Amino acid sequence: MPAFDVIVVGLGGMGSATVHHLAARGHRVLGLERFGPGHDRGASHGGSRITRQSYFEGAEYVPLLLRAYELFDRLAADSGRDVITLTGGVMVGRPESRTVSGALASAQQWGLEHEMLDAAELRRRFPTMAPAPDEVALFEAKAGFVRPERTVLAQLDLAGKHGADLRFHEPMESWEPDGDGVRVRTAAGEYTAGQLVITPGPWAPRLLADLGVSFRIERQVQHWFRPRGGVEAFQPDRHPIYIWEPAEGSQMYGFPAIDGPDGGAKIAFFRRGTETTPEALDTAVHPDEIDEMARGAARILPDLPGEWLRGEPCMYSTTPDEHFVISRHPAHEAVTVACGFSGHGFKFVPVVGEILADLATTGTTAHPIDLFHPRRFRE
C-alpha cells in the first residue's frame, strides 16, 4: 500500500491550496517544497494581487472566479486571516481596448454588476486618476485584492491541522510510475503515492517538458511609491484597484495604499518582463526600471510617483496563449498538473486547489476546465 494517497510537489499558491483541500477531505497527503513556507522565489509574493470578476482575459473564467470568491471568504473564516479585501476596481482604456471591451463582454455575458464611466466621471469619482479625454472605465464594486503570502500560509496551516505531512527545503528530484501509482525521489529519500500533483511555478519548463508547452519564464518587477502629498487620497475607501491600458503604452495595474502610512502604493507594468530562469532571476531593481515605472505612473496617476520606496521582482510562467494548463497529465493517469498561470492566476488559487483535488482523487471535476488542457498546443 502506498504511503500516501497523493503527493503534491510545489507549495506556493496552487500547491498549498491543493494540500489544504485534499487534507480537509481526509486524504493522506505529502507536500514537498524546495524553499520555505510563503517564500519569495516564485509568483506568490509581493503583498497583494488583484481580484476581479469582469474578466477581460475571457468570459470562460468567470464561473471559476465566482467560486474562488466563495472559497477566499471561507478561507478567511476558517483561518482567521485577512486574505481578501474588496475596494472596487476600474478597468481603464479606450472603449475598444482589450482591457475595457473584454471586461465589458464578460460582465454582460454573466450579468455581473458594473458601471461604465466616461473620463469626466472617472476623474470626479477618483480624483487621483487622470484619464485621457477618449478613455473610459468599467467600474466593478466587487473587485479588490488578495494577500498572496497570507493566503499560502493560511492554506498550509489548515492543511497541517488536517493532517497533511508538509516538508520544506526538500525539492523533488525525480518521479516514476510505480504500479498504479508513483514513486517520488528527493535528497531525503523515496515516497510512494497513488497520485502525484505537480504545481511547479517557474520550474515548469524543467519538470513538465514532456507536456509540449513552450513556457516562457518572465521576470516582472513590482514597485512601491510614496505619493506626493502622502497616502491619504490613496486609501482603500477612496482609491480602487485598477488596470489601465493607455493607447500609447503597456498595461499598468495598481492598488490603493494598503500597508499603512509608510507603505506607499504599489504599481507595476503588466507583461513588460524579461526572460529568465529561476536560477538566474535578477533580484535587484535597477534605476532604469524605476524611471520607466515612474514615467508610466505619472501618465495615469500624476501624484503617485513622488518617491520610490522599493521594488520586488517575481516570475510569470506564461503559455503561448496566456491561458492556464490544468489537467491530468496526457501520458500519465497518476499525475495531475497545474502550471502556466501567465501572470493572472493567483485570484484563482482556492478553486484551482479544489479542481486539482478533484482530478487527483476522481479523475474529473465539475468545474469548466476544457480551455486549460495542454492538448491545445498539439492540435
Side-chain angles (χ1 to χ4, degrees):
M1 181 178 181
F4 297 95
D5 297 322
V6 186
I7 296 173
V8 179
V9 173
L11 298 179
M14 307 305 174
S16 63
T18 306
V19 293
H20 172 211
H21 281 283
L22 287 167
R25 297 179 190 182
H27 297 289
R28 296 169 299 150
V29 184
L30 170 66
L32 298 174
E33 168 57 52
R34 68 176 56 239
F35 300 113
H39 65 81
D40 63 355
R41 300 292 295 182
S44 299
H45 64 280
S48 57
R49 293 290 187 274
I50 286 175
T51 189
R52 51 197 164 88
Q53 296 179 1
S54 300
Y55 215 59
F56 65 77
E57 290 89 342
E60 304 96 327
Y61 287 88
V62 173
L64 298 178
L65 286 162
L66 298 177
R67 179 59 175 162
Y69 270 63
E70 295 175 354
L71 291 174
F72 268 117
D73 286 342
R74 183 185 301 175
L75 179 64
D78 290 348
S79 68
R81 293 178 185 258
D82 180 14
V83 295
I84 183 169
T85 302
L86 302 186
T87 60
V90 288
M91 310 300 117
V92 187
R94 290 179 173 174
E96 69 275 11
S97 67
R98 182 190 182 199
T99 301
V100 175
S101 65
L104 180 59
S106 285
Q108 291 174 333
Q109 179 172 332
W110 291 98
L112 304 174
E113 293 184 13
H114 67 283
E115 298 176 65
M116 294 304 301
L117 313 178
D118 62 18
E121 178 62 14
L122 180 61
R123 285 193 299 271
R124 187 195 69 77
R125 196 174 298 192
F126 303 113
T128 52
M129 298 186 167
D134 60 348
E135 291 179 328
V136 300
L138 181 144
F139 173 76
E140 179 188 323
K142 291 185 178 179
F145 62 90
V146 294
R147 294 283 199 173
E149 292 93 341
R150 293 181 193 176
T151 297
V152 170
L153 294 174
Q155 292 174 155
L156 293 174
D157 287 349
L158 291 172
K161 289 177 180 177
H162 285 294
D165 184 347
L166 306 177
R167 305 191 184 189
F168 299 96
H169 305 286
E170 188 175 347
M172 180 180 72
E173 294 183 345
S174 65
W175 71 271
E176 63 185 21
D178 185 63
D180 292 333
V182 295
R183 182 177 299 273
V184 170
R185 292 183 177 85
T186 74
E190 295 186 354
Y191 310 98
T192 57
Q195 290 283 321
L196 173 64
V197 177
I198 303 176
T199 58
W203 282 266
R206 180 191 307 168
L207 296 180
L208 295 174
D210 58 346
L211 285 181
V213 181
S214 298
F215 298 104
R216 174 182 166 89
I217 309 305
E218 300 173 343
R219 173 184 175 273
Q220 304 281 343
V221 182
Q222 308 162 87
H223 298 264
W224 285 259
F225 289 87
R226 178 181 290 116
R228 282 189 286 269
V231 298
E232 185 60 31
F234 288 79
Q235 291 299 304
D237 60 345
R238 301 176 63 184
H239 182 79
I241 64 94
Y242 55 91
I243 300 176
W244 206 305
E245 186 178 345
E248 70 280 7
S250 302
Q251 279 178 316
M252 290 172 275
Y253 67 93
F255 300 80
I258 61 177
D259 296 317
D262 299 319
K266 177 180 164 184
I267 186 171
F269 287 111
F270 190 47
R271 305 200 187 288
R272 193 184 285 191
T274 56
E275 194 161 1
T276 188
T277 66
E279 296 80 7
L281 176 67
D282 181 2
T283 59
V285 179
H286 303 284
D288 61 323
E289 295 175 319
I290 299 169
D291 291 344
E292 183 181 35
M293 189 73 261
R295 289 192 299 270
R299 155 69 178 81
I300 60 176
L301 296 102
D303 291 332
L304 180 58
E307 177 188 357
W308 185 81
L309 298 175
R310 64 188 179 95
E312 191 169 345
C314 68
M315 286 180 281
Y316 289 180
S317 303
T318 302
T319 65
D321 61 5
E322 299 175 4
H323 293 308
F324 308 158
V325 172
I326 304 173
S327 75
R328 278 287 183 91
H329 195 296
H332 304 284
E333 281 295 312
V335 180
T336 298
V337 300
C339 52
F341 288 95
S342 303
H344 62 113
F346 199 90
K347 61 183 72 64
F348 297 90
V349 153
V351 70
V352 170
E354 187 172 61
I355 290 166
L356 296 177
D358 291 344
L359 293 176
T361 56
T362 71
T364 188
T365 181
H367 291 295
I369 62 168
D370 286 348
L371 175 64
F372 308 135
H373 200 286
R375 64 172 169 261
R376 68 189 190 270
F377 296 112
R378 298 185 176 185
E379 292 176 343

